[in-house]
Amino acid sequence: MGEPLLRVEDLVTAFHTDEGTIRAVDGISFELAEKQTLGVVGESGCGKSVTSLSIMRLLPSPPGEIERGAIRFRGRDLVTLPEREMRALRGNEISMIFQEPMSSLNPVQRIGKQIGEAVRQHRGASAKEARARAIEMLSLVGIPAPEKRVDAFPHELSGGMRQRVVIAIALACEPKLLIADEPTTALDVTIQAQILELLGELSARLGMSILFITHDLGVVAELTDEVVVMYAGKIVERAPTAELFAEPAHPYTRGLLASIPGYGAAERSASGRLRLPTIAGMVPDLSRLPRGCRYQDRCPLVRERCRESEPPLAPIGARRDVACFAHEGGPYRDGARA
């Protein structure tokens, strides 16, 4: 098996605040192969977006800092790469789709100029060539009448169209890696489905790998090959998508899957009302983490050992890893050993 396109090794990203050092990403490792789509999921604040910003080297500094670890893209460590070389990679070989299209686009520049900027910067294209590329990209992402839309301002487009423009900007130089950070969060379900279908088609057409960051497990099931589940800055489970949905291993993953609305998923409360299953409690404060497992106060399988030491991410199958003491000696199902 060849070298993965992206390899993250023991990454620690911290923010130095008045309350102390907060490690938003704390020792995570994962790989992304060529032409693969990897999903990174978890609740808000678990470290998903900080992971993506670390890869792009776009952390606000201060207070953000990569304290430890390596981020190897095609064999080159991005953590130690000089800023000049990193700028040559951003928007060219590695691109990113940010969460909110209106904050990602310049409101006073026409969208054609914004799409063509990366092509001029990285490919040395002329203004005429950049405009032609912008029209081509607008057509590629499914925007009608691209010859007219290329001169539009962002406020003249719908939310779905603006998100397609952001995707066009990210893909203008045909990157090898696309980082999509919650790209469908602000969109209605119809537009969301169109964007997911578009990303899948473009990935296959361009031979591009995608790191897809989301809290939506339905989106993960639709688009990804493998999934990394994060909780409080740590990876708690890593598995092929089909296996994770068929048999989630970590109690947190089970809680996330159980909370997806679906037929028969609701339970009746004591008052007789129908309620969706929820995960009790709150995500721990990263500045005051408990000793032992970070999920202990919310976990139905918690044992005394969980409060004493932190479970390592360990293999439970050929391509599966889980950080849970309940899996030592064999998989658990509903609290009992299988």
Side-chain angles (χ1 to χ4, degrees):
M1 191 171 179
E3 178 77 12
L5 179 70
L6 177 71
R7 174 180 285 153
V8 175
E9 303 171 349
D10 193 26
L11 178 67
V12 176
T13 300
F15 292 86
H16 305 289
T17 71
D18 293 338
E19 287 74 32
T21 297
I22 296 173
R23 290 178 175 83
V25 172
D26 195 0
I28 69 168
S29 300
F30 62 87
E31 295 180 353
L32 176 60
E34 297 267 2
K35 302 178 183 179
Q36 182 190 32
T37 299
L38 175 68
V40 181
V41 302
E43 293 170 277
S44 296
C46 72
K48 306 185 303 294
S49 294
V50 174
T51 298
S52 67
L53 293 174
S54 299
I55 294 170
M56 294 293 288
R57 290 258 305 271
L58 290 175
L59 290 165
S61 179
E65 177 190 13
I66 296 176
E67 284 192 340
R68 188 179 76 230
I71 303 169
R72 303 191 189 280
F73 175 73
R74 307 181 90 173
R76 304 165 70 189
D77 187 1
L78 304 185
V79 174
T80 59
L81 203 65
E83 180 58 29
R84 181 179 178 182
E85 294 182 42
M86 193 67 213
R87 283 200 302 269
L89 285 178
R90 288 193 206 104
N92 188 22
E93 293 187 57
I94 308 174
S95 285
M96 186 167 176
I97 302 172
F98 295 91
Q99 291 187 29
E100 174 50 57
M102 272 311 286
S103 62
S104 302
L105 296 172
N106 187 327
V108 297
Q109 281 192 357
R110 300 182 191 276
I111 62 171
K113 183 176 181 181
Q114 297 186 60
I115 297 171
E117 184 178 0
V119 182
R120 300 194 69 177
Q121 174 71 29
H122 295 294
R123 303 295 172 85
S126 65
K128 183 178 180 180
E129 290 169 336
R131 179 182 173 84
R133 179 62 172 167
I135 293 171
E136 180 186 352
M137 292 308 301
L138 289 174
S139 177
L140 182 68
V141 299
I143 290 183
E147 296 84 358
K148 293 182 179 178
R149 297 290 187 183
V150 74
D151 293 318
F153 289 98
H155 71 271
E156 297 178 296
L157 305 178
S158 67
M161 281 192 176
R162 288 195 294 266
Q163 192 63 292
R164 287 170 184 264
V165 170
V166 172
I167 294 172
I169 293 171
L171 299 183
C173 292
E174 299 186 6
K176 295 299 294 180
L177 170 61
L178 176 67
I179 300 173
D181 187 4
E182 309 249 21
T184 60
T185 297
L187 306 177
D188 64 55
V189 291
T190 303
I191 301 300
Q192 175 176 285
Q194 293 173 359
I195 295 297
L196 293 177
E197 183 180 5
L198 172 64
L199 287 174
E201 291 175 355
L202 294 176
S203 175
R205 189 184 310 181
L206 302 176
M208 177 179 62
S209 299
I210 300 178
L211 184 66
F212 199 97
I213 295 168
T214 183
H215 63 273
D216 190 333
L217 282 164
V219 170
V220 167
E222 181 78 20
L223 193 66
T224 66
D225 302 305
E226 291 190 6
V227 184
V228 163
V229 182
M230 292 188 68
Y231 184 79
K234 290 277 192 180
I235 292 176
V236 297
E237 185 165 0
R238 178 170 51 207
T241 304
E243 292 184 32
L244 183 127
F245 275 79
E247 191 174 352
H250 196 280
Y252 178 60
T253 309
R254 295 181 188 180
L256 289 176
L257 288 171
S259 66
I260 299 174
Y263 181 75
E267 301 173 345
R268 289 200 178 273
S269 65
S271 63
R273 294 182 179 180
L274 287 175
R275 298 181 61 182
L276 288 172
T278 59
I279 300 175
M282 299 289 290
V283 178
D285 185 341
L286 293 181
S287 65
R288 300 177 186 84
L289 288 170
R291 180 181 178 185
C293 178
R294 301 181 181 195
Y295 191 58
Q296 59 181 268
D297 292 335
R298 309 175 75 187
C299 182
L301 302 181
V302 64
R303 304 289 186 270
E304 188 59 34
R305 187 181 179 189
C306 306
R307 302 190 188 280
E308 296 297 325
S309 55
E310 191 168 43
L313 189 67
I316 58 168
R319 297 169 59 198
R320 297 197 68 174
D321 302 291
V322 66
C324 183
F325 289 131
H327 287 273
E328 289 184 334
Y332 264 67
R333 292 186 181 89
D334 300 322
R337 195 173 304 285

